[in-house]
């Protein structure tokens, strides 16, 4: 009976382990995404990376087009040069001009396009990051949605344009979404700077505490030394009296 139970347990454990192996070995679903390098704070500027994986085994990615949101236009967009790629920044007139740093802006970036200069592009099994410096980020929304088109060397075009909805499953071809963090203070301080300041204050407090502890210890040792010294003197006097007697 006991052997049967052990065998059953071993079988069940083997089945669970097998399922775990299958789950871990299943390929993760990759898609075009956007992530900030550090913070993307409302009202500020940020460097963001559009990450483009190649999902095909028999074709390379030769073109990436990113469309910028029109409901929250960005006046400043600067790409970082990437070896082997040409980049084009397209601007469009705004229906409602923006006011930035006291100046009115009547156009904003509507699209950025990267094209493989040598025809090789992103090979199968690889991905590429496309960095952009963008701003000023809006302060009246928590996210920015960028729609992207990915063109392969075999002329296939994958449209990453479906906007993810809260509480629903991720769509098959989700659009890249940039999450914005809370606005920084008026001096341009970031969350990272505040963290550093907090850590400095904590370290200073710890140092003060250690100094206080050290001072207290020194005082205690001083008192002990005085007591021991007094005891030694008293013993010497007492011993001298015994010899005299």
């Amino acid at each position: 009976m006991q052997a049967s139970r052990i065998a059953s347990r071993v079988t069940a454990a083997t089945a669970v382990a097998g399922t775990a192996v299958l789950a871990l070995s299943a390929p993760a679903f990759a898609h075009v995404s956007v992530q900030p390098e550090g913070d993307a704070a409302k009202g500020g500027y940020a460097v963001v990376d559009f990450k483009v994986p190649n999902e095909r085994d028999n074709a390379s990615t030769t073109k990436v087009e990113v469309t910028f949101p029109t409901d929250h236009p960005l006046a400043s967009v600067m790409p970082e040069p990437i070896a082997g790629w040409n980049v084009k920044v397209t601007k469009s007139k705004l229906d409602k001009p923006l006011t930035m740093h006291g100046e009115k802006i009547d156009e904003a970036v509507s699209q950025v396009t990267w094209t493989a200069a040598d025809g090789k592009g992103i090979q199968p099994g690889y991905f590429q990051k496309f960095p952009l410096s963008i701003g000023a980020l809006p302060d009246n929304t928590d996210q920015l949605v960028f729609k992207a088109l990915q063109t392969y060397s075999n002329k296939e075009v994958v449209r990453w344009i479906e906007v993810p909805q809260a509480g629903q499953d991720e769509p098959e071809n989700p659009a890249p979404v940039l999450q914005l963090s809370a606005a920084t203070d008026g001096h341009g301080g970031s969350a990272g700077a505040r963290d550093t300041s907090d850590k400095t204050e904590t370290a200073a407090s710890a140092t003060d505490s250690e100094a206080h502890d050290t001072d207290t210890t020194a005082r205690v040792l001083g008192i002990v030394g005085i007591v021991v010294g007094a005891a030694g003197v008293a013993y010497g006097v007492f011993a001298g009296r015994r010899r005299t007697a």
Side-chain angles (χ1 to χ4, degrees):
M1 179 65 72
Q2 185 176 2
S4 176
R5 289 180 180 176
I6 295 175
S8 299
R9 290 177 182 176
V10 171
T11 302
T14 303
V16 171
T19 303
V21 170
L22 290 175
L24 292 174
S25 62
F29 181 75
H31 52 74
V32 176
S33 60
V34 59
Q35 291 293 333
E37 294 183 7
D39 289 337
K42 298 177 182 179
Y45 289 76
V47 174
V48 299
D49 294 325
F50 285 89
K51 182 180 178 181
V52 182
N54 193 321
E55 297 184 305
R56 301 295 179 264
D57 296 330
N58 56 355
S60 58
T61 296
T62 56
K63 187 177 181 181
V64 177
E65 302 166 80
V66 175
T67 300
F68 281 64
T70 57
D71 54 344
H72 298 291
L74 300 174
S76 175
V77 175
M78 293 186 293
E80 180 179 319
I82 301 176
W85 291 85
N86 295 324
V87 59
K88 179 182 178 182
V89 178
T90 303
K91 293 186 176 182
S92 300
K93 289 288 184 179
L94 296 174
D95 295 333
K96 295 181 179 181
L98 297 174
T99 301
M100 295 179 60
H101 306 293
E103 297 183 5
K104 286 189 176 181
I105 307 296
D106 60 358
E107 65 177 10
V109 173
S110 56
Q111 189 177 72
V112 177
T113 303
W114 291 270
T115 306
D118 52 11
K120 294 181 180 180
I122 309 172
Q123 299 295 306
Y126 290 86
F127 73 91
Q128 176 70 53
K129 287 184 178 181
F130 298 92
L132 290 176
S133 173
I134 63 175
L137 299 173
D139 56 9
N140 57 350
T141 184
D142 293 328
Q143 64 180 27
L144 291 177
V145 179
F146 301 87
K147 297 184 178 181
L149 301 182
Q150 182 178 9
T151 301
Y152 286 90
S153 56
N154 59 4
K155 307 304 180 183
E156 177 189 5
V157 178
V158 180
R159 301 167 63 83
W160 304 99
I161 62 173
E162 299 177 61
V163 181
Q165 301 297 327
Q168 298 184 12
D169 293 338
E170 185 178 67
E172 183 177 356
N173 294 314
V177 178
L178 176 65
Q179 300 295 333
L180 304 182
S181 58
T184 57
D185 57 38
H187 300 288
S190 65
R194 288 194 296 272
D195 289 345
T196 302
S197 176
D198 292 342
K199 290 177 181 178
T200 302
E201 292 178 1
T202 301
S205 298
T207 302
D208 291 342
S209 178
E210 290 174 359
H212 177 72
D213 292 343
T214 302
D215 183 59
T216 301
T217 302
R219 291 180 181 178
V220 172
L221 291 176
I223 293 172
V224 171
I226 293 173
V227 172
V228 171
V233 172
Y235 178 78
V237 172
F238 178 73
R241 289 179 178 178
R242 290 188 60 186
R243 291 194 208 98
T244 302

